[in-house]
Amino acid sequence: KAGVTQTPRYLIKTRGQQVTLSCSPISGHRSVSWYQQTPGQGLQFLFEYFSETQRNKGNFPGRFSGRQFSNSRSEMNVSTLELGDSALYLCASSLSAGGSWGNTIYFGEGSWLTVV
Amino acid sequence: TQLLEQSPQFLSIQEGENLTVYCNSSSVFSSLQWYRQEPGEGPVLLVTVVTGGEVKKLKRLTFQFGDARKDSSLHITAAQPGDTGLYLCAGGGTGNNRKLIWGLGTSLAVNP
């Protein structure tokens, strides 16, 4: 079956702009999580959505937001981009919510965002 | 705050060598997962360990969960260039805290 699909793969934005990233989970998966990955900070959790509701949120400013649609597809938005937002943004899907051991998460290939 | 420390941060070895990477915490985790991330791709789950003292083998990779469920190790025997990548550990929370806690990773390069 198709894996987690993220679009776009690469993008360059200017400081102050906003960006929207898209994620299509594995068919049948209702949970979508978003992560930011940088060399210095590693993988940092942004938020998790399950059945269109935000279930968990990481420690990121309000400029970072997300949503999930009825078909489980998800988008995340970053407004007023800063240079420090340059990172790989990863989406992960799973059958159910949470990080319990029985709930395997599958990652997409990520969206590389460069802010100049 | 739960933290996971991975060591070493970087490792460069020759093909055929053995290596061990570590994932340590002062906190107890309900489970511990190991992932490998290759350049340009997202992390892929290798194994989940749940029981203290548990040992799991995946071909040349051996994973162990500490008795107290606070630490874990990954041992690779006779490393191959295909093992190159970023190895990440992630701990599952206990009780009502179900968020995964991630380590920063060990970047492994296996040279032919």
Side-chain angles (χ1 to χ4, degrees):
Chain A
K1 54 184 177 182
V4 179
T5 305
Q6 291 188 245
T7 56
R9 285 295 317 274
Y10 305 93
L11 67 165
I12 300 174
K13 291 285 188 177
T14 304
R15 273 181 302 174
Q17 288 187 314
Q18 66 93 27
V19 66
T20 299
L21 308 177
S22 180
C23 172
S24 293
I26 292 172
S27 178
H29 285 192
R30 296 167 62 190
S31 173
V32 172
S33 300
W34 288 90
Y35 292 84
Q36 181 195 68
Q37 188 176 32
T38 59
Q41 299 294 320
L43 208 63
Q44 293 194 289
F45 173 76
L46 281 156
F47 27 66
E48 177 185 22
Y49 287 87
F50 182 81
S51 295
E52 302 178 69
T53 302
Q54 189 180 88
R55 292 300 184 96
N56 268 308
K57 190 176 187 303
N59 298 321
F60 279 80
R63 300 185 296 108
F64 292 81
S65 63
R67 59 177 175 169
Q68 187 179 32
F69 303 97
S70 59
N71 62 359
S72 294
R73 191 177 69 84
S74 177
E75 289 181 347
M76 68 161 282
N77 183 277
V78 188
S79 62
T80 320
L81 284 165
E82 301 177 358
L83 295 179
D85 296 333
S86 294
L88 175 65
Y89 289 87
L90 290 161
C91 168
S93 80
S94 59
L95 280 170
S96 54
S100 59
W101 68 271
N103 184 35
T104 301
I105 61 174
Y106 299 85
F107 284 88
E109 293 181 320
S111 292
W112 286 95
L113 170 65
T114 301
V115 182
V116 297
Chain B
T1 302
Q2 291 180 302
L3 292 174
L4 270 173
E5 295 184 359
Q6 290 191 245
S7 61
Q9 190 175 357
F10 300 98
L11 190 55
S12 180
I13 61 171
Q14 293 300 121
E15 182 176 0
E17 291 184 11
N18 301 332
L19 67 118
T20 302
V21 298
Y22 300 92
C23 178
N24 296 307
S25 176
S26 58
S27 303
V28 175
F29 292 99
S30 61
S31 64
L32 204 128
Q33 301 175 357
W34 284 93
Y35 293 77
R36 179 170 64 217
Q37 183 177 18
E38 298 183 17
E41 299 184 9
V44 175
L45 179 67
L46 295 173
V47 78
T48 301
V49 284
V50 179
T51 307
E54 182 177 3
V55 177
K56 280 192 174 179
K57 291 192 175 183
L58 185 66
K59 297 183 180 177
R60 294 175 294 100
L61 279 60
T62 302
F63 305 85
Q64 183 163 10
F65 202 11
D67 290 341
R69 292 186 290 135
K70 293 182 179 181
D71 52 79
S72 180
S73 64
L74 158 59
H75 181 80
I76 301 179
T77 304
Q80 298 177 0
D83 296 326
T84 294
L86 179 68
Y87 288 82
L88 294 159
C89 65
T94 56
N96 293 324
N97 179 11
R98 304 180 70 189
K99 284 193 295 187
L100 285 174
I101 305 299
W102 293 84
L104 291 182
T106 292
S107 181
L108 171 65
V110 182
N111 307 302

